Amino acid sequence: MTTLVVSHPQCLEHLTPFGHPERPDRLRMITHVLEHERFSDLARDEAPLVSIDAIARVHPTDYIERLDNATPLLGLVQVDGDTTLSPGSFEAARRSAGGGVFAVDEVMTGKVANAFVSTRPPGHHAETSTAMGFCMFNNAAIAARHARAVYGAERVAIMDFDVHHGNGTQDIFWSDPSVMYLSTHEMPLYPGTGAANETGAYNQIVNAPLAAGDGGSEFREAFDIVILPRLRAWKPDLLIISAGFDAHQRDPLANINLTEVDFAWATKRLMEIADEACGGRVVSLLEGGYDLEGLGRSVAAHVMALMRG
């Protein structure tokens, strides 16, 4: 079976102010990189509009309506200091969440081996009723709840290697014993959460913070000592990856010194556990990554690892 890449041109229509790091060029770079002949075997599809019902498994309907109503007809509207709405943003957010739901469908029904969802806006900072950190809907959480509701997945794992802690995902699943959230991230750094002693109501939150200046050796040690043993013991029915690539050494928003080789290594180690636990069912969702060259190289390495290359 093949690896699926899901995207949609509407995700380019989520506009941000000039100089904002979360910009449409991120997706253009990924599209360019994945046009290389070594990715010719990828299956490709467009992200559908996620249903409001699917979003509402995570976010209350009044929050969804507030975002919809706040979306401007012209210009830009600030949601918070980092997060902007443009006329195309609400549909882009629905496509971004819809890409994750569609990827879960394709993977859980065995149509593809695994999937990478190349959409924006990202999602892991979005809390239950709060848009923040470039994020509106929590795409990973929506995908996980969809897998639970539609396919009866008893245990879902979300592995987040974005350099910023996924406070939203942790918040949403803090008291949910069916979802394990695991994260490596720089600390201290925005948004300020993710200490090792934040373990959730059922000891199913696993944080392995890294320090500024850490590189591949520290990252791999955190995986080997903290992340992978807990994930292996969890035996997930589906593994979702919040795939942020802003821990790359070129990225301007943080101070972790990974390279694309480290992301490939992490992807392969995660896939080994998915192979053991759930027939290799992996859905990877784009989160951060703001240096275009570092992002392109990292996504190429990540997707090639998903393809078992």
Side-chain angles (χ1 to χ4, degrees):
M1 290 192 295
T2 59
T3 294
L4 170 68
V5 170
V6 183
S7 193
H8 198 281
Q10 179 62 33
C11 294
L12 299 172
E13 299 304 316
H14 167 53
L15 305 181
T16 52
F18 179 78
H20 196 285
E22 206 296 282
R23 58 206 189 276
D25 282 345
R26 300 177 65 231
L27 291 193
R28 294 188 181 103
M29 171 57 79
I30 292 171
T31 298
H32 171 71
V33 165
L34 296 183
E35 286 173 347
H36 191 278
E37 62 181 10
R38 63 180 168 149
F39 298 109
S40 59
D41 290 338
L42 287 171
R44 302 172 192 261
D45 216 324
E46 291 194 337
L49 279 173
V50 71
S51 71
I52 299 301
D53 287 345
I55 304 174
R57 295 190 184 107
V58 172
H59 302 287
T61 54
D62 65 332
Y63 169 74
I64 301 167
E65 291 168 359
R66 286 203 315 271
L67 276 183
D68 190 10
N69 293 335
T71 301
L73 296 177
L74 294 170
L76 302 177
V77 171
Q78 289 292 128
V79 177
D80 70 1
D82 302 309
T83 312
T84 304
L85 292 173
S86 70
S89 294
F90 188 74
E91 182 181 340
R94 286 186 65 185
R95 296 281 182 189
S96 198
V101 167
F102 176 72
V104 168
D105 289 338
E106 296 295 285
V107 169
M108 293 300 288
T109 57
K111 295 177 183 176
V112 297
N114 52 46
F116 175 66
V117 182
S118 178
T119 55
R120 55 181 290 279
H124 72 153
H125 293 308
E127 297 181 344
T128 303
S129 299
T130 306
M132 59 183 290
F134 315 159
C135 304
M136 296 170 212
F137 298 135
N138 195 303
N139 304 321
I142 292 167
R145 288 268 165 83
H146 179 73
R148 294 263 302 135
V150 176
Y151 299 101
E154 295 183 4
R155 293 177 307 281
V156 178
I158 300 174
M159 174 62 216
D160 187 339
F161 53 64
D162 191 284
V163 81
H164 302 95
H165 181 249
N167 60 293
T169 314
Q170 175 171 290
D171 173 68
I172 289 163
F173 293 115
W174 185 267
S175 298
D176 187 340
S178 68
V179 177
M180 174 173 279
Y181 174 70
L182 312 98
S183 178
T184 56
H185 49 275
E186 182 179 338
M187 246 192 121
L189 192 66
Y190 180 91
T193 54
N197 64 359
E198 296 170 17
T199 57
Y202 298 93
N203 195 34
Q204 85 296 3
I205 304 293
V206 183
N207 287 304
L210 304 170
D214 282 352
S217 60
E218 293 85 359
F219 174 72
R220 296 183 190 213
E221 182 178 10
F223 255 66
D224 284 336
I225 294 176
V226 180
I227 298 296
L228 297 177
R230 292 294 304 276
L231 180 60
R232 180 171 282 111
W234 182 251
K235 298 179 181 178
D237 300 310
L238 172 68
L239 172 60
I240 296 171
I241 302 175
S242 275
F245 300 101
D246 40 5
H248 194 280
Q249 62 186 3
R250 293 179 54 94
D251 202 274
L253 296 192
N255 299 285
I256 299 296
N257 296 307
L258 302 189
T259 70
E260 53 272 22
V261 175
D262 296 307
F263 291 117
W265 175 87
T267 305
K268 290 175 181 177
R269 296 302 304 275
L270 294 170
M271 290 174 65
E272 289 173 3
I273 294 179
D275 286 345
E276 297 169 9
C278 58
R281 291 192 291 270
V282 174
V283 170
S284 176
L285 310 177
L286 179 66
E287 299 283 1
Y290 305 105
D291 176 82
L292 296 183
E293 182 178 337
L295 175 65
R297 290 178 357 206
S298 299
V299 168
H302 178 62
V303 173
M304 185 56 66
L306 290 174
M307 298 172 68
R308 303 185 185 274

